[in-house]
Every structure is written in structure tokens, then in C-alpha cells.
């Protein structure tokens, strides 16, 4: 009896070691990617864009309706407050953390894709499709985790009664968690890929340099 149990424990341990090794490799790939300017060309705009978008959607469509009502000059104040909220300014911690985390992950993801776009254009279509799926999940789950306001709240409210709005908060949290998990897995996979590409690129450059000296 102890034998099979021990085998299962060893298998689980080996799988965890494998996952940890893969995440470590992906981390090295992200660090290597961060040394390239093209990575930041994708990371910074996407991080700011998704952070701003999710903070604007933190109350469902209320902020957009208010902006439409008060006009352009006054709307700039709402946009500025939403922009500052990306960095946690005047924002409850529990509301800020998931938005910031998703923005960081999405920024890293798109930053790596931009880098791979230049290094591996002919194989980039699949990566762009993955980014689109993750972007959709993030937009769907964008909302305030504390108050339960979410982009899908008006849809649920239109179909069911007002009491169903409480369900929207739970759905928002679940979808946001799913978006974070998918983002982490996508970043892991692309991190591994960019690591292999950059290391191989450095190896070929070093080899070419050595051959040119001969």
C-alpha cells in the first residue's frame, strides 16, 4: 500500500518541479525581453491602456454616461482620476490590486508579442489570437471587485430583475480570476518561447562572430 502512495507522491513532486522549472525559464525569458526596447514599446502603451479602460469600467458604464452628460472639458477630470487609479491613487487596495495585476500581465504579454513580431513574424499569428482571447476576458471581467459593478451588469439587469445584480459581482470576480490565470499561463508560454529565441539569437551571433575572426 505504501508503495503506490509513494509513487503518486513522487509523480506529483516531479510535476511540480517541472512547472517550477518552466516558470523559472519563462521568468528568465521575460527578463531577457525587458532588455529590448521593442518589448517596452508594447508593454507601456498596453499597460496604460488596459489600466485606464478597466478603471473607467469600474462602475459599469456609469462613468461613460456621466462623461457624455457633462461634456468634454469636465470629462478630462474623470479620465485623469481613472489614469491615476492605475497606480493606486485614491483607490481602495482590493479594487486596485486585480486591475493593476491584470494590466501588468497584459502589458508583459503584448510586450513579448511585439518583440516576437519582429523576431518571428511568420509564426506570430497564433500568439496574436491568444492575446485577443485574453483581452476579451479582461474586458468582460473589468469591474470593481468590492462593489460588484461590472461590464456585464447591464446585460444581466436587462434580462433579469434588479436582484440579479448581486450575481454580477460574483461573475465579475470569477471571470477576472480566469483572465488572470489565462494571462499567467500565456505569459509563461511566451516567456519560454522568447527565452529560446533570444538565447538562440545570441548563440548564432556569437558563432558568426567567431567564424568571422577565422
Amino acid at each position: 500500500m505504501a508503495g503506490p502512495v509513494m509513487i503518486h507522491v513522487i509523480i506529483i513532486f516531479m510535476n511540480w518541479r517541472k512547472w517550477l522549472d518552466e516558470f523559472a525559464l519563462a521568468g528568465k525569458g521575460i527578463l531577457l525581453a525587458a532588455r529590448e526596447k521593442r518589448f517596452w514599446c508594447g508593454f507601456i502603451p498596453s499597460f496604460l491602456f488596459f489600466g485606464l479602460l478597466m478603471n473607467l469600467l469600474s462602475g459599469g458604464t456609469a462613468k461613460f454616461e456621466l462623461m457624455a452628460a457633462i461634456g468634454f472639458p469636465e470629462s478630462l477630470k474623470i479620465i485623469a482620476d481613472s489614469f491615476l487609479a492605475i497606480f493606486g491613487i485614491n483607490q481602495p487596495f482590493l479594487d486596485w490590486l486585480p486591475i493593476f495585476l491584470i494590466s501588468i500581465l497584459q502589458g508583459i504579454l503584448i510586450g513579448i508579442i511585439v518583440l516576437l513580431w519582429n523576431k518571428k513574424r511568420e509564426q506570430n499569428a497564433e500568439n496574436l489570437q491568444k492575446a485577443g482571447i485574453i483581452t476579451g476576458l479582461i474586458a468582460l471581467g473589468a469591474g470593481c471587485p468590492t462593489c460588484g459593478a461590472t461590464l456585464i451588469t447591464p446585460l444581466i439587469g436587462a434580462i433579469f430583475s434588479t436582484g440579479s445584480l448581486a450575481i454580477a459581482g460574483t461573475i465579475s470576480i470569477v471571470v477576472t480570476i480566469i483572465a488572470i490565470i489565462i494571462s499567467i499561463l500565456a505569459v509563461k508560454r511566451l516567456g519560454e518561447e522568447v527565452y529560446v529565441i533570444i538565447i538562440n539569437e545570441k548563440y548564432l551571433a556569437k558563432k558568426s562572430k567567431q567564424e568571422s575572426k577565422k
Side-chain angles (χ1 to χ4, degrees):
M1 187 71 178
V5 173
M6 194 66 183
I7 291 172
H8 283 298
V9 171
I10 292 172
I11 291 172
I12 293 172
F13 177 74
M14 290 177 66
N15 287 336
W16 273 105
R17 284 295 302 272
K18 179 176 176 288
W19 273 84
L20 289 175
D21 290 342
E22 289 175 352
F23 272 106
L25 190 67
K28 291 178 181 178
I30 294 170
L31 290 176
L32 288 173
R35 297 178 183 178
E36 309 242 0
K37 292 180 180 179
R38 286 172 291 188
F39 170 82
W40 295 103
C41 290
F43 174 84
I44 294 174
S46 58
F47 166 72
L48 295 177
F49 171 77
F50 283 102
L52 178 62
L53 177 63
M54 286 188 289
N55 278 298
L56 285 173
L57 291 171
S58 62
T61 58
K63 289 185 180 179
F64 288 100
E65 292 172 359
L66 178 60
M67 288 166 63
I70 63 179
F72 175 72
E74 291 79 7
S75 296
L76 292 177
K77 176 68 167 57
I78 297 175
I79 295 174
D81 289 341
S82 297
F83 180 82
L84 293 175
I86 299 174
F87 307 99
I89 299 175
N90 297 324
Q91 190 80 344
F93 180 77
L94 292 178
D95 293 345
W96 167 79
L97 185 60
I99 291 176
F100 182 77
L101 181 59
I102 291 176
S103 300
I104 286 286
L105 289 170
Q106 189 69 18
I108 293 173
L109 181 63
I110 294 180
I112 293 175
I113 289 176
V114 169
L115 186 59
L116 288 174
W117 180 275
N118 292 274
K119 293 182 178 293
K120 201 180 176 184
R121 290 187 180 183
E122 67 280 2
Q123 299 179 21
N124 200 55
E126 183 181 353
N127 294 333
L128 287 176
Q129 185 179 5
K130 291 176 186 175
I133 294 172
I134 293 165
T135 300
L137 281 171
I138 289 171
L140 182 63
C144 168
T146 300
C147 63
T150 173
L151 184 60
I152 62 176
T153 297
L155 299 178
I156 295 176
I159 299 173
F160 301 104
S161 63
T162 307
S164 298
L165 294 180
I167 303 173
T170 303
I171 294 176
S172 174
I173 293 171
V174 171
V175 174
T176 301
I177 291 172
I178 292 173
I180 291 174
I181 292 172
I182 293 177
S183 296
I184 290 173
L185 295 176
V187 167
K188 169 185 166 293
R189 182 167 181 178
L190 291 183
E192 292 174 307
E193 185 175 348
V194 79
Y195 174 83
V196 172
I197 290 174
I198 293 175
I199 292 298
N200 184 61
E201 190 178 68
K202 288 184 176 182
Y203 169 77
L204 293 176
K206 185 177 179 180
K207 184 178 179 181
S208 177
K209 188 176 181 180
Q210 289 175 346
E211 290 177 352
S212 64
K213 290 181 179 179
K214 293 181 181 180

